Amino acid sequence: SQELEQSPQSLIVQEGKNLTINCTSSKTLYGLYWYKQKYGEGLIFLMMLQKGGEEKSHEKITAKLDEKKQQSSLHITASQPSHAGIYLCGALLIQGAQKLVFGQGTRLTINP
Amino acid sequence: SQTIHQWPATLVQPVGSPLSLECTVEGTSNPNLYWYRQAAGRGLQLLFYSVGIGQISSEVPQNLSASRPQDRQFILSSKKLLLSDSGFYLCAWNPRIGLMNTEAFFGQGTRLTVV
């Protein structure tokens, strides 16, 4: 079974629209990472969240970690073609341990 | 500054042949090291991770093995490749700093096609 569940698995939005990607775990998340990947390439680090209720923003992308530290959301405002790609959430599920697992990814397509 | 090298970038191997993918990190010491596999357009499956020389944790029983002969070197191997071993393999590292969690840094990946 998947330790990190991402939803949706794929998303097609019109350019300029807002969108949200979710990442959920049944376990406490001791470090939550968001990465973006262009098809067939390496991963680009977006943000890391650690504290319950924490929220970070970079340009038009905002990520939040809920108070219980079991769910994170990634929100893109006014999407652009450059936002297209695969978004991956990763997390440490054991405090102090180094096992870093990832969700199934969300494939984002932006239609002009 | 720290860098991660992963090679080769692409590889085409026949079924039953051996495999060796290498990953090295520069500019840091005592890193955590990871091997992931990614199916086309999907998420990352954790294969192995290592917190020190000779210490390997295996996450998925399969046709692959990993070794860490030196502090900053992580090798993914197979004695006999299967068609199902095809995929995009990514190496990653992050610094081990007590209980602080930091960003994980990824290599550029190896696209393996088993034919």
Side-chain angles (χ1 to χ4, degrees):
Chain A
S1 64
Q2 196 73 29
E3 292 177 288
L4 282 181
E5 293 285 343
Q6 259 184 264
S7 62
Q9 292 189 23
S10 64
L11 190 56
I12 302 172
V13 300
Q14 205 71 24
E15 183 177 351
K17 296 294 185 183
N18 303 337
L19 64 104
T20 299
I21 299 169
N22 294 302
C23 180
T24 304
S25 173
S26 58
K27 301 178 182 178
T28 301
L29 304 170
Y30 290 101
L32 189 288
Y33 305 80
W34 283 101
Y35 285 85
K36 179 189 172 186
Q37 183 185 32
K38 291 219 178 266
Y39 303 118
E41 298 181 8
L43 273 66
I44 301 167
F45 174 72
L46 296 175
M47 277 169 276
M48 181 182 72
L49 305 167
Q50 288 184 248
K51 300 176 183 176
E54 187 175 9
E55 179 176 324
K56 288 186 177 178
S57 294
H58 176 68
E59 297 180 346
K60 294 186 177 181
I61 302 176
T62 300
K64 301 178 183 179
L65 182 61
D66 75 341
E67 289 289 344
K68 285 187 175 180
K69 293 173 60 175
Q70 288 187 296
Q71 183 172 355
S72 178
S73 60
L74 185 84
H75 184 75
I76 298 177
T77 303
S79 58
Q80 301 168 354
S82 61
H83 289 130
I86 299 173
Y87 287 81
L88 296 152
C89 69
L92 296 166
L93 300 179
I94 302 174
Q95 188 174 23
Q98 309 304 323
K99 179 180 172 181
L100 176 59
V101 297
F102 282 82
Q104 317 96 305
T106 296
R107 181 190 290 260
L108 174 62
T109 302
I110 308 294
N111 283 339
Chain B
S1 63
Q2 303 94 349
T3 55
I4 179 169
H5 301 280
Q6 186 181 344
W7 69 91
T10 59
L11 192 59
V12 180
Q13 291 283 101
V15 169
S17 64
L19 172 73
S20 181
L21 301 181
E22 190 162 342
C23 174
T24 59
V25 180
E26 295 179 357
T28 188
S29 59
N30 211 22
N32 298 315
L33 295 169
Y34 305 85
W35 276 112
Y36 295 90
R37 178 168 60 199
Q38 185 179 33
R42 302 312 309 159
L44 302 184
Q45 179 187 33
L46 178 62
L47 301 176
F48 303 94
Y49 69 100
S50 170
V51 299
I53 296 175
Q55 300 179 59
I56 309 293
S57 295
S58 174
E59 290 302 303
V60 183
Q62 57 199 332
N63 189 38
L64 301 169
S65 62
S67 61
R68 184 170 178 172
Q70 299 180 47
D71 180 44
R72 291 168 292 175
Q73 185 184 29
F74 206 22
I75 298 172
L76 184 69
S77 304
S78 174
K79 291 182 179 178
K80 288 185 179 181
L81 283 169
L82 306 172
L83 287 175
S84 57
D85 291 323
S86 294
F88 191 52
Y89 290 82
L90 285 157
C91 178
W93 76 274
N94 65 2
R96 191 152 18 106
I97 309 175
L99 293 179
M100 277 181 59
N101 302 321
T102 62
E103 173 189 350
F105 301 88
F106 283 81
Q108 288 303 301
T110 296
R111 185 161 304 283
L112 171 67
T113 303
V114 182
V115 296

